[in-house]
Amino acid sequence: MVLGNAGNYGLCIACFIRDTVGALGFHRAAVVQYIRPEIIGIVLGAFFMAVAGKEYSARGGSSPFARFVLGFLVIVGALMFLGCPLRMILRLAGGDLNAIFGILGFATGIGTGIIFLNNGFSLKRTYSLSSFEGYLFPLVCTGILLLLITRPGFIFFSESGPGASHAPIVISLAAGLVVGVLAQKTRLCMVGGLRDLFMFKDWHLLSGFLAILVAALAANLAFGTFNLGFTGQPIAHSDGLWNFLGMALAGLGSVLLGGCPLRQLILSAEGNIDSVITVLGMAAGAATAHNFGLAASAEGPTANGKIAVLLGLLVVAAIGYFNMDRSFELNMKGDVKIEA
Amino acid sequence: MSKLKLNQVDTRGRSCPEPVLLTKKALEKNPEGVQVIADNTTARDNITRFARNLGYKVEMVQQGADYILTLTR
């Protein structure tokens, strides 16, 4: 942000995916079009880290279309609030009190998702795929990076608005690489933190979440960019109800997916094709949110956006309900030797 | 392995947080301990942390691409 990115933008996965699909021309909201090197850096950093740590493994086949739809709706919810769960924390750290409604909604969504999980919700198992299947996503990201560097005429770049404020490519890419490496190693997940605390009384993942809050708060205080209040916050609106409902949708969708948008990017880089499909769903959701006028802006939510969030909550609840396996019994074997 | 009369739960192919959830359910049924098969390091580490938090001892053996975790009191 200090280096030129938009205010309290920090690192917002939802916003950056939205900017990137805009640059590729999938939506024509002229103020939010820029290929964000941070996203590409995160994917490549996580990919190299996973390969080096022998954690790379191509797999997929776990309800791909349900994941696409969930990814789509998570972004519709996030763009109502104007930020992914990660930016929600960064906004709070910047003094934006609207984020509190977002967090309450997010926690409510996660709590609701846990009810589905505890009742046997599952998107069913994944299967091993050829290694090359998993290389395709990092390759595509590298291709998009080349489009940013070569700037061919068919790529859109915002001339004003949030899409026009960005740090130099090299710095953004390097920042993304660092985040990718760290997030892969720590398995940082915004939704996992609250989920594990609620479900298993486990603080492990939430500690990452809190560390980001404290570090960002300290940085904002140090740079004098801390601004406590509800109004006049960068790229935010102060409609509490819709901030709550937007993040409730994002939280519920994310918990059913097993991870927040950042975590989906990391998993995609590790060879998880289900997460690649989720990221494509998020990209489609971001494009549609702008094409249909669903995304909120600093002026507040739109009528279309409100309808979309309510419909989204219904659809996610239906996906949750119809994937609950009530007859689920543990498939346990007593004292059986395991074949390698 | 056959010395211990432990029930097994297979979490392979399941995505987060299902492996831990399956382990939790298995331990509720078999509080004395269970054997869990996991196929990725995230599940392996999460199950290990979960079991240790509950006061179980965790022994891990790698078999091919899978991890076999033995959780005992």
Side-chain angles (χ1 to χ4, degrees):
Chain A
M1 178 172 63
V2 175
L3 297 164
N5 272 0
N8 279 5
Y9 228 46
L11 200 64
C12 170
I13 308 304
C15 317
F16 283 10
I17 288 180
R18 182 263 323 271
D19 293 353
T20 303
V21 293
L24 298 176
F26 292 120
H27 72 70
R28 301 296 164 107
V31 290
V32 283
Q33 295 175 325
Y34 179 66
I35 293 176
R36 293 279 173 189
E38 287 89 344
I39 295 276
I40 296 161
I42 288 172
V43 170
L44 297 181
F47 173 70
F48 292 129
M49 200 64 195
V51 170
K54 296 197 174 12
E55 293 186 330
Y56 172 86
S57 146
R59 52 187 70 192
S62 160
S63 309
F65 192 59
R67 288 179 189 274
F68 182 93
V69 173
L70 288 172
F72 187 106
L73 294 171
V74 163
I75 293 301
V76 169
L79 292 178
M80 166 59 77
F81 169 73
L82 293 173
C84 77
L86 180 56
R87 182 172 184 245
M88 177 176 77
I89 301 304
L90 297 173
R91 276 175 59 175
L92 186 64
D96 180 349
L97 296 177
N98 297 304
I100 292 173
F101 290 99
I103 291 176
L104 289 175
F106 190 58
T108 307
I110 291 172
T112 311
I114 288 173
I115 298 173
F116 289 113
L117 283 172
N118 280 335
N119 282 291
F121 171 84
S122 170
L123 291 175
K124 301 293 175 290
R125 67 159 302 168
T126 62
Y127 299 88
S128 285
L129 300 170
S130 78
S131 282
F132 185 74
E133 177 78 7
Y135 297 148
L136 278 170
F137 184 66
L139 280 173
V140 166
C141 289
T142 309
I144 295 176
L145 179 65
L146 291 178
L147 290 177
L148 172 65
I149 293 167
T150 55
R151 300 178 82 96
F154 52 82
I155 298 294
F156 296 82
F157 291 104
S158 294
E159 283 165 11
S160 64
S165 38
H166 52 79
I169 294 175
V170 177
I171 292 174
S172 296
L173 187 65
L177 283 167
V178 171
V179 172
V181 164
L182 291 177
Q184 198 278 333
K185 200 73 201 155
T186 59
R187 302 180 186 125
L188 177 74
C189 177
M190 297 297 132
V191 71
L194 287 173
R195 179 198 65 208
D196 288 358
L197 178 66
F198 293 163
M199 277 182 97
F200 309 123
K201 312 272 174 290
D202 180 352
W203 286 86
H204 177 82
L205 279 176
L206 195 66
S207 57
F209 187 102
L210 295 174
I212 291 173
L213 176 61
V214 172
L217 185 61
N220 277 318
L221 290 171
F223 287 108
T225 45
F226 185 77
N227 169 26
L228 192 71
F230 283 100
T231 51
Q233 296 293 343
I235 320 177
H237 63 78
S238 49
D239 189 325
L241 174 67
W242 292 97
N243 279 330
F244 178 94
L245 289 174
M247 280 325 263
L249 176 57
L252 178 57
S254 295
V255 87
L256 297 185
L257 284 166
C260 72
L262 171 66
R263 183 72 187 144
Q264 297 301 333
L265 276 181
I266 303 293
L267 289 170
S268 298
E270 291 179 1
N272 188 325
I273 301 306
D274 294 319
S275 290
V276 174
I277 301 293
T278 306
V279 170
L280 293 180
M282 295 197 297
T288 307
H290 284 277
N291 288 339
F292 291 4
L294 311 180
S297 66
E299 279 97 64
T302 65
N304 289 1
K306 292 176 180 178
I307 295 168
V309 166
L310 293 179
L311 279 177
L313 285 166
L314 283 178
V315 171
V316 175
I319 290 176
Y321 181 79
F322 289 109
N323 283 293
M324 289 194 306
D325 190 354
R326 292 176 176 286
S327 64
F328 179 77
E329 271 301 305
L330 277 177
N331 187 16
M332 308 235 295
K333 294 166 261 178
D335 200 26
V336 178
K337 283 216 166 165
I338 305 157
E339 314 288 344
Chain B
M1 197 167 297
S2 51
K3 279 177 287 175
L4 285 164
K5 290 267 179 195
L6 286 182
N7 282 310
Q8 283 183 354
V9 50
D10 187 352
T11 71
R12 285 175 295 185
R14 299 285 179 162
S15 61
C16 186
E18 289 177 46
V20 182
L21 202 56
L22 290 172
T23 307
K24 186 182 174 198
K25 285 186 177 165
L27 285 173
E28 280 163 7
K29 277 194 181 173
N30 307 272
E32 72 287 353
V34 290
Q35 210 161 46
V36 188
I37 317 172
D39 65 354
N40 66 83
T41 50
T42 307
R44 177 196 69 192
D45 296 349
N46 287 345
I47 292 165
T48 303
R49 196 172 59 247
F50 172 73
R52 290 211 173 115
N53 283 348
L54 290 181
Y56 284 90
K57 268 185 285 189
V58 182
E59 255 179 81
M60 199 268 290
V61 193
Q62 187 163 3
Q63 262 190 26
D66 298 332
Y67 302 94
I68 305 185
L69 303 158
T70 308
L71 319 182
T72 48
R73 281 281 184 203

